[in-house]
Amino acid sequence: MEGRGTTEERFVKGVDRLAAFLEKDRLNLWMTFVYVLVVAVIRDLSEYFLLDDAFTSSSHPWIYSISHHVAFFVLVYLGLVLILKVFSGAGLKKCINYTSWYYWIILIPPWIDHFLFGQDRNYAYFSWTSFLEAFFGMGGESFHPGQGVEVMVVLFALFAYVFWRHRGDLGDVHGRLVLILRMGSMAAFTVLFMFIVGTPGIYIPIGSIDGIPVFPSFDLTRYYQYHLFIFAYYYAAGLLLVLVLSYITLRGRFSEYVRALRPFQTVFFASIVTAGVAFGWRSAILADLVGNILTKPYWVNLAFVVPTVLTAILAWQIGVLWNDISDRSTDDPGKKGRMLASGALDPRSQKEVSVVLTMVVLGVSLLLSVQQFVLMFAVLLLSYVYSCPPFRMKKMLLSPLLMGLGTFLAFLFGAMTPYSEVSFVSGSPYITGSVIEPGLTTDTLLVGAFMFLGLVIGSMVTDIDGYVEDRAAGVRTIYTKLGREQGTKVVAALVFLASLSPLVIFNDALDLLLFPVLGAMTALSFVRTRRSRAVMGFAAVGLIYAMARFLMGL
């Protein structure tokens, strides 16, 4: 008995050492992201060359299909980390490190299925019955033995880790019941996650009915818009999972974290980009791409607009991160939303996050178009020059010009969003398969100039929120130069003047009344509250009204 006990102790210590080894930090966040991308790309190319001869032997752009599959594998990785985090209770970094150690297993299935089982059919589940048959019955036309091995290894890694961390619950009846409930809930959640991620055609319109694809003009769009549409779905789902992981990790501090992301400014920035998309698509006004974006076949263009807007939002967040990292030594740690200054977040990890987001933003922009890549690169460059040493243009009195220029470029980024050409037969719209990249026009530049003016003043408005910190850090703003009271009056006057600029384009009777009244209310509210939030609210109302006027026709 004593020898047996010694053996058990050695086994327990050995597994503990192995777990500690697998949980140990080796790659930082951006290295982990690159690792996941590389593994995903290799897996995808292996699938094509080993299991999809029809795909590799025909001439078409591969990048959109590869992007959709890579986004899928990144989403799977995030899902595995989320499952571990929720059901193991371990730290987020430990869950990331542990998942990275077995994630490479996704490289194996195509090789097993091709060389050991002679498979020549790619992985796909077009119905919930085929998924369940393959997953639970290990059979059916969609089942691949190599993929079965992959799923079993992943499930073993997940359940073994959670069980081992909570093996102490086996000591009494209550603990055993809790552990059974934990493992059962984990099993149900894992199957549900695999079903949702692995069978998107069941609940979004990319599948088929009676063998007929539901995606518009499938034969013409299958290699471009179709795959980009699925990519957009996985892209949005991946960002949602990141927010969920942040919520679980930060717990009670999540609301403060959201506040640090500048939600009102973020929404306003996204509105600017969305306005750019609508204005850029005005050349297709006969097809009414904007007004019918949620109806068939126009919703194909969600494949372009969703990545465009999400990427712009991430670009804004990169600027927020860089600004907060640079200001952490001078920011007031007691002020809400100052998580870096207060020590609630690690500056090093936030730098790594900004690197990951930069790679995502530039990669997705290039996927959309070369023009958008160039514009986004310029936006990020301006953000870096504005916030980070050795430039730190934020300290200069004319720094709002830089902010306005960045937002002007963001408007152009939206205006350059591609769209699928729509034509008509007997009055019925159909997708031709052609993708049009809007060019810059005089009208676009004119509206962009108004955006520039508005955002220069908007940057002056937001400077008031950091007046105390800017004064302490020696940052030159209109408030630190003229004083808070006098600076507020000057900026309020500029806000009112800027509110009149849309009248150059919109000059009906209602426009002549609404824009000046809205400008006056905004200026008075700013003088009274000395806070940017009220101004952002009024500005959003004005922007929404201008967008509505635009959609109804100039």
Side-chain angles (χ1 to χ4, degrees), residues 44-289:
D44 193 39
L45 293 178
S46 299
E47 282 191 36
Y48 286 141
F49 284 104
L50 298 176
L51 301 175
D52 201 344
D53 182 66
F55 185 90
T56 57
S57 61
S58 59
S59 177
H60 58 270
W62 286 29
I63 186 62
Y64 305 104
S65 179
I66 291 175
S67 299
H68 135 221
H69 287 107
V70 168
F72 164 80
F73 287 119
V74 172
L75 183 63
V76 168
Y77 180 88
L78 291 172
L80 294 174
V81 173
L82 175 63
I83 291 170
L84 276 186
K85 176 62 183 171
V86 171
F87 293 99
S88 73
L92 179 60
K93 199 66 172 73
K94 288 184 177 180
C95 293
I96 290 174
N97 295 335
Y98 179 79
T99 302
S100 298
W101 268 105
Y102 69 83
Y103 187 71
W104 61 266
I105 195 66
I106 71 170
L107 298 173
I108 306 300
W111 300 85
I112 293 178
D113 288 323
H114 179 76
F115 289 107
L116 295 185
F117 296 96
Q119 297 273 1
D120 60 358
R121 183 177 179 181
N122 212 336
Y123 308 127
Y125 301 99
F126 297 107
S127 69
W128 63 271
T129 53
S130 64
F131 171 84
L132 295 177
E133 186 178 15
F135 185 81
F136 290 106
M138 294 295 176
E141 294 183 359
S142 299
F143 176 70
H144 291 70
Q147 198 173 38
V149 172
E150 172 191 36
V151 171
M152 296 305 295
V153 171
V154 170
L155 290 179
F156 173 79
L158 286 174
F159 283 85
Y161 184 80
V162 174
F163 175 82
W164 192 254
R165 282 190 62 89
H166 293 275
R167 67 188 186 279
D169 294 341
L170 294 173
D172 55 56
V173 174
H174 177 266
R176 287 192 288 271
L177 290 175
V178 171
L179 183 58
I180 291 173
L181 180 61
R182 180 188 298 274
M183 303 298 282
S185 300
M186 180 179 173
F189 183 85
T190 302
V191 172
L192 178 62
F193 176 78
M194 293 176 66
F195 177 79
I196 293 175
V197 173
T199 59
I202 298 173
Y203 51 90
I204 62 175
I206 59 170
S208 61
I209 299 177
D210 297 328
I212 301 176
V214 299
F215 200 82
S217 305
F218 182 73
D219 290 339
L220 300 174
T221 60
R222 62 185 302 180
Y223 293 120
Y224 190 169
Q225 296 97 316
Y226 172 76
H227 286 296
L228 192 60
F229 188 89
I230 306 175
F231 168 82
Y233 164 73
Y234 285 137
Y235 186 31
L239 295 180
L240 178 61
L241 276 190
V242 171
L243 282 177
V244 172
L245 278 168
S246 300
Y247 175 79
I248 294 172
T249 302
L250 294 171
R251 297 179 183 176
R253 297 176 297 170
F254 183 73
S255 60
E256 185 180 356
Y257 174 71
V258 171
R259 196 176 293 113
L261 298 179
R262 316 293 200 276
F264 292 99
Q265 291 94 324
T266 301
V267 171
F268 187 75
F269 188 80
S271 300
I272 293 292
V273 176
T274 304
V277 174
F279 202 85
W281 288 1
R282 74 195 184 285
S283 58
I285 193 65
L286 293 178
D288 196 12
L289 297 181

Side-chain angles (χ1 to χ4, degrees), residues 350-482:
Q350 296 306 292
K351 290 179 182 178
E352 294 170 4
V353 169
S354 74
V355 173
V356 172
L357 292 181
T358 300
M359 289 189 285
V360 171
V361 162
L362 292 178
V364 176
S365 298
L366 185 58
L367 182 66
L368 291 168
S369 70
V370 174
Q371 296 93 317
Q372 286 181 287
F373 171 81
V374 173
L375 287 167
M376 183 51 66
F377 183 84
V379 169
L380 294 180
L381 181 61
L382 287 175
S383 294
Y384 187 86
V385 169
Y386 176 82
S387 297
C388 301
F391 307 101
R392 287 286 281 163
M393 296 296 292
K394 179 181 179 178
K395 288 191 172 184
M396 305 299 177
L397 185 60
L398 296 180
S399 61
L401 294 176
L402 209 61
M403 292 291 290
L405 180 59
T407 309
F408 167 67
L409 293 177
F411 174 77
L412 297 185
F413 176 79
M416 300 296 286
T417 303
Y419 60 87
S420 294
E421 183 182 46
V422 178
S423 190
F424 295 84
V425 173
S426 300
S428 299
Y430 72 94
I431 300 294
T432 67
S434 298
V435 174
I436 298 175
E437 296 181 359
L440 290 178
T441 64
T442 302
D443 289 343
T444 301
L445 294 174
L446 178 62
V447 173
F450 290 146
M451 295 284 185
F452 169 76
L453 175 63
L455 268 298
V456 167
I457 298 173
S459 178
M460 294 181 179
V461 169
T462 57
D463 281 344
I464 198 169
D465 296 331
Y467 167 71
V468 175
E469 295 151 314
D470 289 341
R471 187 176 60 178
V475 176
R476 299 181 67 189
T477 69
I478 195 168
Y479 308 103
T480 59
K481 186 72 175 177
L482 300 179

Side-chain angles (χ1 to χ4, degrees), residues 241 306 489:
L241 276 190
V306 169
K489 293 178 180 178

